[in-house]
Amino acid sequence: QVQLVESGGGLVQAGGSLRLTCAGTGLPLKYYAIGWFRQVPGKEREAISCIGDDGAKTIYTDSVKGRVTVSRNNSMSTVYLQMSSLKPEDTAVYYCAADRAPKEFECSNLQDHAFGFWGQGTQVTVSS
């Protein structure tokens, strides 16, 4: 199985940028589509992006579309989430997770239960 660790979170002013990293160990990350999620205390976890195992397929939800770019480097077993034009409402804990679906259905279901091997999360705080 794969273990995932997120990093790159921090405090940034509104309008700023951050790049989050999801690093995989154990099985190579190239075998998994990876989803990015975020959660605010007291609210449900929200899917924001997904990238197919070879990077050919990318998905963005409406809340981040146009402000976020997901990419991956399978040789380094790493997935990135570049975020720009950040808003205070982007403040959350950000998680990456591996899609359990077979390749033909990768990134088709962005619900929590479709993903596994969750990382511990990285806090992003956007100040106004």
Side-chain angles (χ1 to χ4, degrees):
Q1 63 183 33
V2 65
Q3 293 81 42
L4 301 175
V5 177
E6 305 91 340
S7 62
L11 174 64
V12 63
Q13 288 189 333
S17 300
L18 278 176
R19 188 177 79 161
L20 305 184
T21 299
C22 175
T25 59
L27 279 180
L29 212 57
K30 67 181 180 180
Y31 295 121
Y32 299 93
I34 297 295
W36 282 98
F37 300 76
R38 65 186 183 186
Q39 188 170 26
V40 175
K43 294 190 176 182
E44 291 189 356
R45 190 152 48 191
E46 171 193 18
I48 58 173
S49 183
C50 188
I51 184 167
D53 61 2
D54 60 3
K57 182 176 184 178
T58 56
I59 301 292
Y60 302 99
T61 58
D62 289 343
S63 60
V64 299
K65 197 172 293 183
R67 302 187 297 118
V68 163
T69 302
V70 63
S71 61
R72 65 190 300 156
N73 184 333
N74 282 343
S75 66
M76 296 184 66
S77 225
T78 304
V79 173
Y80 304 101
L81 189 73
Q82 179 68 49
M83 304 189 296
S84 59
S85 301
L86 284 163
K87 307 173 183 179
E89 51 264 44
D90 293 317
T91 295
V93 178
Y94 285 71
Y95 299 89
C96 62
D99 193 346
R100 300 179 188 273
K103 181 170 176 63
E104 58 266 37
F105 298 114
E106 66 181 7
C107 297
S108 296
N109 180 358
L110 299 185
Q111 295 183 345
D112 272 14
H113 63 80
F115 290 78
F117 308 119
W118 293 84
Q120 84 290 345
T122 186
Q123 175 71 47
V124 171
T125 303
V126 183
S127 62
S128 56

